[in-house]
Amino acid sequence: MNREWLLNAALLAGLVVVPGWAVWADEPFTIMLATRAVIFALAAAGLNIALGLGGLVSLGHAVFFGIGGYAMGVLASHAQNYTPLYDGAFTIQGTKSMPVIWLAAAVTSGLAAWLIGVLSLRTSGAYFIMITLAFGQMAYFFAISWPAYGGEDGLSIYVRNGFPGLNTLDPIQFYGLCLAWLCLVLWGYARLRRSPFGLALDSARQVPDRVRAVGLDPRRLQLVALVLSGAVTGLAGALFADLNRFVSPSMLSWQMSGEIIVFVIIGGVARLFGPVAGAVFYVMMEHWLGGISDYWQIFLGLVLLAVVLFGRGGLIGMICGKGRPDA
């Protein structure tokens, strides 16, 4: 066991112990904060596939986050209004079933990531960043001008969607679903990083010419990583919309894309629990410092500056050293 493994275990234990204490102390707001942190960590874990493994700095990941949210909002709104989503040659009904909504969110976000990746991966560096930002702004303004689902006012869902055998209105049960998804994605990330695909993707990030020399296409590897990344981030968006029972164009904004990147950078790029550490730290600062000043993000900026200048491995790297990230 090394220090990073122990820190990862401590973070995971904290995600179990703190909400458990909140149930015992009857503090539902603490459970809500923990749920918010876990969902943000899930979104950041999705970005970590593209950024940490593929080296793709995307300023458009809020597209996938927002698409996942709107997938939930559209399906649930049609279910609560008892109107079909499509009524033509065949009928598509809305649904309040979480598994169906999660599947729809992941598939639509993955398809969007594929389309954006096919076009964006023709470039690299700053050009890739700007193209993903452009796609993000296009999606944001499309959502604003979509009056059928609330436009710039957003869309409210009055009843939380259901999961078989659980009462999702119980904060701790909904939190358990979100935590289970986060653990599953982190486990998948650890396996992916050590798989032949993960090793090839890491090589494509560092020495693309050598990857081409052995007959692999670096762009195709990065496209697959971006699709996986988009699907996971879309799933997080669906959970976030379900948590708030509300979806709005702000989920698609460039500020949201920036926040997701901040989670990864503060926690540690390519670190297994980097997204978790970054998201938890962000939510804690937002809660504690936000009650003191409306300008709490100034302090967040100072922390981010310190991490970039003095802790290239993020918070986890600063605590555990700058060695190779450990799963």
Side-chain angles (χ1 to χ4, degrees):
M1 293 186 192
N2 58 26
R3 282 186 293 176
E4 184 167 348
W5 192 96
L6 292 173
L7 180 58
N8 293 348
L11 284 170
L12 184 58
L15 294 177
V16 175
V17 171
V18 171
W21 168 85
V23 172
W24 176 79
D26 194 21
E27 294 282 351
F29 182 70
T30 301
I31 301 175
M32 190 278 289
L33 286 179
T35 306
R36 182 180 172 89
V38 165
I39 292 173
F40 281 158
L42 182 61
L47 175 60
N48 206 28
I49 296 173
L51 178 59
L53 293 180
L56 301 173
V57 182
S58 169
L59 262 181
H61 249 60
V63 172
F64 316 130
F65 192 72
I67 286 176
Y70 271 94
M72 188 288 290
V74 169
L75 289 172
S77 66
H78 281 275
Q80 74 180 12
N81 295 329
Y82 302 101
T83 57
L85 182 63
Y86 174 78
D87 192 12
F90 55 91
T91 301
I92 301 177
Q93 300 288 349
T95 180
K96 296 179 182 177
S97 171
M98 281 187 176
V100 177
I101 289 171
W102 294 339
L103 178 62
V107 170
T108 52
S109 300
L111 287 174
W114 176 81
L115 178 60
I116 292 174
V118 166
L119 299 173
S120 301
L121 287 172
R122 297 172 182 269
T123 64
S124 61
Y127 298 101
F128 177 82
I129 296 173
M130 296 310 297
I131 287 179
T132 56
L133 175 61
F135 275 112
Q137 290 301 97
M138 289 167 58
Y140 172 74
F141 285 108
F142 175 80
I144 284 181
S145 60
W146 200 10
Y149 298 106
E152 63 182 341
D153 294 325
L155 179 65
S156 295
I157 306 299
Y158 302 112
V159 178
R160 179 164 290 162
N161 299 301
F163 187 87
L166 294 179
N167 176 17
T168 55
L169 286 174
D170 183 359
I172 194 63
Q173 294 191 44
F174 183 70
Y175 173 80
L177 284 174
C178 298
L179 181 60
W181 268 117
L182 177 61
C183 292
L184 182 61
V185 168
L186 292 176
W187 175 81
Y189 177 87
R191 294 294 300 271
L192 182 68
R193 186 167 61 186
R194 286 177 164 78
S195 69
F197 170 77
L199 296 174
L201 180 62
D202 188 50
S203 299
R205 174 179 61 85
Q206 300 183 61
V207 280
D209 290 337
R210 293 186 180 180
V211 173
R212 293 189 190 95
V214 297
L216 297 176
D217 185 354
R219 186 181 298 173
R220 183 172 298 178
L221 294 169
Q222 291 175 327
L223 180 60
V224 173
L226 190 61
V227 170
L228 292 173
S229 177
V232 172
T233 305
L235 173 63
L239 290 170
F240 187 72
D242 229 337
L243 171 67
N244 300 314
R245 281 177 271 179
F246 178 74
V247 59
S248 73
S250 63
M251 291 181 66
L252 293 145
S253 67
W254 68 267
Q255 290 95 333
M256 179 59 70
S257 292
E259 286 181 9
I260 296 173
I261 290 179
V262 165
F263 302 152
V264 178
I265 293 176
I266 287 182
V269 177
R271 302 277 178 170
L272 178 62
F273 272 70
V276 179
V280 169
F281 183 81
Y282 179 91
V283 171
M284 289 171 59
M285 287 196 69
E286 182 183 40
H287 175 58
W288 290 335
L289 297 181
I292 298 174
S293 170
D294 292 335
Y295 306 103
W296 67 272
Q297 290 179 330
I298 293 175
F299 304 103
L300 177 66
L302 293 174
V303 172
L304 183 60
L305 183 63
V307 168
V308 171
L309 292 177
F310 307 111
R312 296 296 179 88
L315 294 176
I316 291 182
M318 293 173 69
I319 296 172
C320 302
K322 299 180 181 179
R324 181 179 179 274
D326 181 61

